[in-house]
């Protein structure tokens, strides 16, 4: 397996991902690799741009990170009917070592395709709603640190600079 999870400020994370036009063996392979990487890093969701593939595909497993019982792959996901408001602490495998509260819609409707090309229509709330919004944001080049206050963002950028400098010196 050659892919790995890329981290901020990698430019692919800021791009708008392209729709999947056809579900090929390559797409199925990509989804399988993403699931492995997501589990390895103890994530509950991963978006293709996080492995430097700028296409609209996400993997989600809310039974994780310890269990691996409910893997879902959503292709060309679109959310609608966003309702309510919920604040929760988020992290991201592409933003290591940082977590922050983010405000999101509490409920939504998801339309997508599964790996067999079948349409998926699903109402989601709570953690699934939060996770879908987080992952679909990735497809539009948006990270959860784009949704926090300016002050928090500045502090994070400072911390990151220090880490990157340290890494270079090590
Ligand atoms: Ni993320």
């Amino acid at each position: 397996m050659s892919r790995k999870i890329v981290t901020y400020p990698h430019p692919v994370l800021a791009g708008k991902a392209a729709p999947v036009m056809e579900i090929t063996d390559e797409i199925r392979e990509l989804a399988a690799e993403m699931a492995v990487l997501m589990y390895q890093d103890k994530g509950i969701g991963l978006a293709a741009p996080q492995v430097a593939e700028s296409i609209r595909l996400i993997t989600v497993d809310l039974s994780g990170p310890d269990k691996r019982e409910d893997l879902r792959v959503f292709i060309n996901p679109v959310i609608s009917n966003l309702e309510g408001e919920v604040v929760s602490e988020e992290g991201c495998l592409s933003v290591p070592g940082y977590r922050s509260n983010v405000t999101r819609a509490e409920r939504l409707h998801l339309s997508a395709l599964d790996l067999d090309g079948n349409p998926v229509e699903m109402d989601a709330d709570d953690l699934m709603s939060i996770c879908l919004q987080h992952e679909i944001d990735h497809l539009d080049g948006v990270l959860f640190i784009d949704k926090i206050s300016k002050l928090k963002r500045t502090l994070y950028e400072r911390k990151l600079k220090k880490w990157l400098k340290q890494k270079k010196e090590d």
Side-chain angles (χ1 to χ4, degrees):
M1 192 165 74
S2 54
R3 291 187 179 92
K4 62 181 176 61
I5 292 177
V6 298
T7 56
Y8 177 80
H10 194 296
V12 73
L13 294 171
K16 192 167 168 69
V20 174
M21 303 306 279
E22 194 188 346
I23 301 169
T24 58
D25 285 346
E26 284 74 30
I27 293 290
R28 280 184 277 270
E29 242 164 67
L30 170 65
E33 279 193 25
M34 282 171 58
V36 171
L37 291 168
M38 176 176 82
Y39 291 134
Q40 258 174 17
D41 278 14
K42 300 197 179 305
I44 56 169
L46 194 68
Q50 293 184 270
V51 298
E53 297 286 351
S54 196
I55 58 170
R56 304 188 82 80
L57 184 154
I58 63 174
T59 56
V60 173
D61 189 342
L62 297 189
S63 75
D66 301 321
K67 291 181 188 166
R68 302 174 176 194
E69 292 174 346
D70 193 20
L71 178 65
R72 299 181 196 209
V73 178
F74 298 121
I75 295 167
N76 299 340
V78 175
I79 50 180
S80 58
N81 299 354
L82 286 90
E83 274 175 24
E85 212 178 83
V86 61
V87 180
S88 69
E89 198 187 62
E90 295 186 23
C92 178
L93 298 183
S94 294
V95 186
Y98 187 72
R99 300 183 68 80
S100 182
N101 278 345
V102 180
T103 306
R104 299 207 184 258
E106 195 179 4
R107 293 175 297 280
L108 54 80
H109 183 80
L110 173 78
S111 304
L113 295 177
D114 67 15
L115 263 188
D116 298 316
N118 298 317
V120 178
E121 297 291 340
M122 184 177 95
D123 290 320
D125 58 10
D126 297 326
L127 187 57
M128 182 56 98
S129 169
I130 293 164
C131 187
L132 288 171
Q133 289 169 78
H134 178 118
E135 300 314 328
I136 292 168
D137 269 353
H138 275 298
L139 305 182
D140 295 319
V142 175
L143 301 176
F144 82 95
I145 49 173
D146 296 325
K147 297 187 169 275
I148 61 179
S149 72
K150 264 195 185 141
L151 174 64
K152 276 189 181 169
R153 179 64 182 252
T154 305
L155 292 173
Y156 170 71
E157 297 285 350
R158 248 185 244 162
K159 214 159 111 180
L160 180 69
K161 241 187 225 163
K162 240 190 245 169
W163 283 337
L164 293 176
K165 208 176 139 204
Q166 243 168 14
K167 237 188 185 173
K168 259 188 207 157
E169 283 164 1
D170 285 347

